Amino acid sequence: MRGLYIHIPFCKTICSYCDFPKRLADSNLFETYLNRLIEEIKSYKNELNDIISVYIGGGTPNVLPLNLLKRLFDEIKIYLDNSKENTIELNPELVTNELCELLNEYKFNRVSLGIQSFEPDSIKLLNRHHTQNDIMNAFSYLRANNITNINCDLMFGMPNTSLNNVKNDIEYVLSYNPTHISYYSLIIEEHTKLYLDIKNHKIKEPDEDLEADMYSYINSKLKEAGFKHYEVSNYAKDGYESIHNKLYWTCNEYVGVGIGASGYINGVRYSNNLGINSYLKSFIKDSEEISLEDQKKEFMMLGLRMLKGINVEEYVKRFKNAPTIDFPVINDLVSKELLKIENNQIKIPEDKFFLGNIVWREFV
Ligand code: SF4
């Protein structure tokens, strides 16, 4: 049971907060990159027999022209045909009916729309370029082509935003009735434009207390609207939890291809070269065997991102020891009410999710 992640690093413009492996779209590089990417996918032929999820992310995958996307889809058709969930990330302003027809033809059954905000000021601050109309068109093209499992990526805690902005974003997103919402708190990463603007006092840093209020408002509103809060930043309607992301959170294996991608196969984690020239010479930059101790820590840390937490029996089955023996700190966290043990599951109580960092750092 594995996932396949394919990275398309090209973007039309660079968002002010972006810390992902990406580069400005240069059509002269598209084919060269695609050839190399396909070569890398082929090199994992033996590891890709039991793929249950294909995820094409970026960057902005729909920056590639249709003929090149089609070429990529032809190469991975066998996986698209056999996996349960095929997701592609799309920027709304670049979604066309022809693209959605192609996605439908190749059995993409899930789309993740990079929206982040519906508010024009926030969209501008983030240096994104969609309009309300783009989002509306994207939804209607997707649905007209039978792609109805749609995730909206949203963000809160942007500088200069209030609880009212979050309320507006939620009202808009619910009006589109998506099946899944990923709602991340903005992280100001070093070396981004936003970081420099804050450092140079051009923009005020977001307020932490306000962020906490936003998070609890989001949780209650989305729950009220019928979404299940199943991971710290992810909400799904019944039956629409992301299969691909759950592979990561339950420490299952995945093959990652493309610049900056990482993978986890046969107990070895690898990460690919970030620069296009270095990637053209060699796919992998680093790889390391994950020790048993680190596997246990990852299992706890990632599992505790999910609302249902980790299953004690599953832990024992994997690691032949009880989690409370391996991590006596669990008992301390339970006494501080930052963890609870219920029906054989160890989890963070939902109202303490915003303090998740205090728990997760115990398992690093
Ligand atoms: S579209 Fe995504 S990958 Fe590209 S710059 Fe924006 S955040 Fe980064």
Side-chain angles (χ1 to χ4, degrees), residues 9-11 13-15 17-22 58-60 91 128:
F10 304 108
C11 295
T13 52
I14 302 300
C15 303
Y17 59 95
C18 181
D19 188 36
F20 304 126
K22 75 323 176 158
T60 309
N91 272 13
R128 296 189 71 97

Side-chain angles (χ1 to χ4, degrees), residues 83 93 193 201 215:
S83 92
E93 69 274 23
K193 180 174 183 307
H201 308 289
Y215 187 63

Side-chain angles (χ1 to χ4, degrees), residues 53-56 85-89 108-112 244:
S53 161
V54 176
Y55 193 108
I56 303 186
E85 184 182 271
N86 298 319
T87 307
I88 185 164
E89 290 178 358
F108 281 86
N109 52 13
R110 187 168 185 271
V111 155
S112 181
H244 192 84

